[in-house]
Amino acid sequence: MFLWEPLTWYQILMFIAVLCGLMLLNEFGRANLWTGILLFFVVPLILTFAVWTKTAVPGSSVGTWFHWAKVYSSLAGCLGFLALRYVKGAAQNKYFLMFPPAILSINILEAVIRDFQCFSFNGFVDGMLIIGGPWNIMNGIAGILNIITISGWAGIYISQNRKRRDMIWPDQLWFWIIAYDLWNFAYVYNCVPDHSFYAGAALLLSCTIPAFLSGGKGAWLQHRAHTLGIWMMFVMTFPAFVDTSIFAVKSSHDPAALMVVSGLSLASNIAVFVYHYYKVFKYKKNILKGEEVHTDLGSYRELKELDRIPQPAVA
């Protein structure tokens, strides 16, 4: 195969199981305040002291600074979003509303730094074969573009007319999400290649699918934080699953595949960047204050109609 070594039937079934498991646990975590606290505070607190000091050790594939930073930054996002959803007045506080774009930017920046770092690698690093090259630089640039096209955080609100009390970000629309997914998959494929089948493809699908369904539409960042936190807890607890088990899927380590994946990432993020800033300048949007950019689009207005929220006039 182009991206990975040939897949077995049981690896494909496990991919489906991981995808469904992440989506189900996301639903459990978003059900109410207490399930969120249990899954994103109590469980990782226990795992930190009882398990990860033994499994996520230096030299293992999950014992790097990046994995430790990623698990706690994703869990910080989960808990911060939980506070936004359930602490009275939090969603009306403009400073609190800065938290989602801040934690999202930090998470992307962590990966950008790692991509640039991996440019100089060519061999086994922490037990995994990494082939550095121009694709790392390309994807690092794509990640930076992804950060600077984050917009509309001042328009974040908490849904009141759905079964779930979700954090909705109306200005975070499908084209930005797809560009993010392509960038993030390229990052995982470049820097954690032998985990990319699950940590790239399955993990990204697990948050993107619910973001396009009516019940979870507009809550992509919440889904992303939840599924990422769940996956990081799992892989740091059971690193052998993605390393040495019969379900582990190895990358093809093909430079052509690395170049294609990062090329798609960079191209999509350039396209979003051009479109985004065309509208910013055309409509004189103050993005530093979190002003929404895409209020004229049908997908934005559809979301507001779903939540029965008065819509701003089209510029």
Side-chain angles (χ1 to χ4, degrees):
M1 293 182 67
F2 185 58
L3 296 176
W4 301 287
E5 293 181 351
L7 300 174
T8 64
W9 64 268
Y10 47 83
Q11 289 169 334
I12 294 171
L13 285 180
M14 182 52 70
F15 178 93
I16 297 170
V18 168
L19 173 61
C20 293
L22 288 169
M23 292 174 66
L24 287 171
L25 285 171
N26 174 45
E27 291 303 310
F28 175 78
R30 68 188 274 243
N32 57 59
L33 174 63
W34 301 112
T35 58
I37 290 174
L38 174 63
L39 189 57
F40 302 119
F41 181 75
V42 176
V43 171
L45 184 64
I46 295 170
L47 292 174
T48 294
F49 298 102
V51 179
W52 294 342
T53 53
K54 301 178 181 67
T55 57
V57 295
S60 70
S61 66
V62 295
T64 66
W65 69 266
F66 179 81
H67 285 85
W68 282 94
K70 183 60 69 177
V71 69
Y72 290 120
S73 61
S74 61
L75 290 169
C78 295
L79 294 173
F81 302 160
L82 202 62
L84 262 174
R85 292 160 61 202
Y86 290 103
V87 173
K88 187 176 181 180
Q92 286 73 49
N93 186 311
K94 67 177 181 179
Y95 298 107
F96 214 138
L97 288 180
M98 292 180 183
F99 177 75
I103 196 70
L104 174 59
S105 299
I106 289 169
N107 268 268
I108 297 172
L109 187 59
E110 289 169 354
V112 167
I113 293 170
R114 183 63 172 173
D115 233 330
F116 288 149
Q117 183 183 29
C118 288
F119 170 73
S120 62
F121 295 161
N122 196 354
F124 282 90
V125 180
D126 297 312
M128 186 173 298
L129 178 61
I130 296 178
I131 301 174
W135 38 84
N136 297 105
I137 304 302
M138 292 163 60
N139 201 53
I141 294 170
I144 293 170
L145 294 176
N146 202 244
I147 292 173
I148 61 178
T149 49
I150 294 171
S151 67
W153 52 265
I156 292 172
Y157 62 88
I158 307 304
S159 61
Q160 304 293 333
N161 299 306
R162 306 191 194 188
K163 292 181 179 179
R164 298 282 191 261
R165 188 176 173 84
D166 289 326
M167 183 187 75
I168 308 300
W169 192 337
D171 214 43
Q172 196 169 65
L173 294 173
W174 64 268
F175 44 87
W176 187 91
I177 293 171
I178 297 302
Y180 173 95
D181 283 356
L182 290 170
W183 161 77
N184 190 262
F185 179 79
Y187 158 72
V188 178
Y189 195 74
N190 290 345
C191 303
V192 203
D194 291 341
H195 293 186
S196 61
F197 185 64
Y198 298 108
L203 180 55
L204 287 167
L205 283 172
S206 71
C207 61
T208 302
I209 290 172
F212 285 87
L213 300 176
S214 60
K217 190 172 288 187
W220 174 84
L221 183 58
Q222 178 185 297
H223 302 316
R224 173 59 175 165
H226 286 185
T227 53
L228 179 59
I230 293 162
W231 172 256
M232 290 305 303
M233 287 190 285
F234 173 78
V235 79
M236 288 184 69
T237 303
F238 304 105
F241 174 80
V242 287
D243 289 333
T244 58
S245 77
I246 62 171
F247 303 111
V249 175
K250 301 299 182 183
S251 167
S252 65
H253 299 290
D254 183 348
L258 289 160
M259 185 64 79
V260 167
V261 167
S262 289
L264 287 172
S265 165
L266 182 58
S268 64
N269 277 282
I270 288 174
V272 171
F273 173 83
V274 171
Y275 176 64
H276 180 83
Y277 281 95
Y278 162 75
K279 294 183 71 174
V280 167
F281 292 118
K282 179 179 179 180
Y283 298 119
K284 298 180 173 60
K285 299 290 186 177
N286 190 335
I287 54 176
L288 294 179
K289 291 186 176 181
E291 191 172 353
E292 294 173 305
V293 175
H294 304 297
T295 56
D296 60 314
L297 297 183
S299 49
Y300 173 97
R301 303 177 76 80
E302 178 188 353
L303 188 60
K304 288 298 187 78
E305 289 171 3
L306 181 66
D307 290 308
R308 304 173 199 166
I309 292 177
Q311 301 176 41
V314 178

